[in-house]
Amino acid sequence: MAVVHLNKENFEAEVLKSEVPVLVDFWAAWCGPCRMMAPVIEELAEEFGAAVKVCKLDVDDCPIIAEKYGIESIPTLMVFKGGEVVKTAIGVQPKEVLKLMVLMA
C-alpha cells in the first residue's frame, strides 16, 4: 500500500473513520529528522499492506489539525484506532519500535 497524504479535506475520512488502525506521521519538508523517517514510513506502508493505513500530514499545510493534536515537535507519530489517538512517539524512531507501537494499539 502507498502512503496516504493527508490534508484538511481527507483527514476525517482517512483517519478518524478508518476501519483499520492508522499510523500518522506529522512532518514538514524543512525538518531533517522528518526526512530521515520518510523511508521508514514508506517501508511500513509496504509491510503493513491493507492491515494498517500509513499516512503523512504536513504540519505547515494543516496547522489546525497539528494544533488540535498538540503537535509541538516533529516528527510526531501517532497511532489512531477507532478515531482516537492510542499511541504517540516523538522524534526519530526505529522501524521496529513503530511496528510494535501499531501492533500493540
Side-chain angles (χ1 to χ4, degrees):
M1 293 281 294
V3 172
V4 176
H5 292 273
L6 299 171
N7 54 48
K8 62 183 186 281
E9 286 78 28
N10 70 359
F11 185 83
E12 183 176 350
E14 294 288 353
V15 178
L16 303 181
K17 294 185 175 175
S18 176
E19 299 289 320
V20 297
V22 183
L23 174 65
V24 179
D25 174 16
F26 290 86
W27 74 290
W30 49 264
C31 165
C34 298
R35 289 195 303 273
M36 287 173 54
M37 288 301 301
V40 174
I41 299 300
E42 297 284 341
E43 288 171 25
L44 288 171
E46 288 297 317
E47 288 179 26
F48 283 131
V52 175
K53 197 179 292 186
V54 178
C55 305
K56 293 176 70 91
L57 182 128
D58 187 325
V59 297
D60 289 336
D61 291 344
C62 303
I64 292 169
I65 295 172
E67 186 177 309
K68 177 179 178 181
Y69 290 98
I71 306 302
E72 294 179 359
S73 296
I74 52 174
T76 292
L77 299 118
M78 291 184 169
V79 178
F80 289 77
K81 200 168 184 182
E84 299 292 323
V85 177
V86 293
K87 299 273 185 196
T88 302
I90 298 171
V92 174
Q93 302 291 325
K95 183 166 80 169
E96 294 308 313
V97 168
L98 295 175
K99 281 175 89 165
L100 279 175
M101 216 172 96
V102 171
L103 296 172
M104 304 287 276

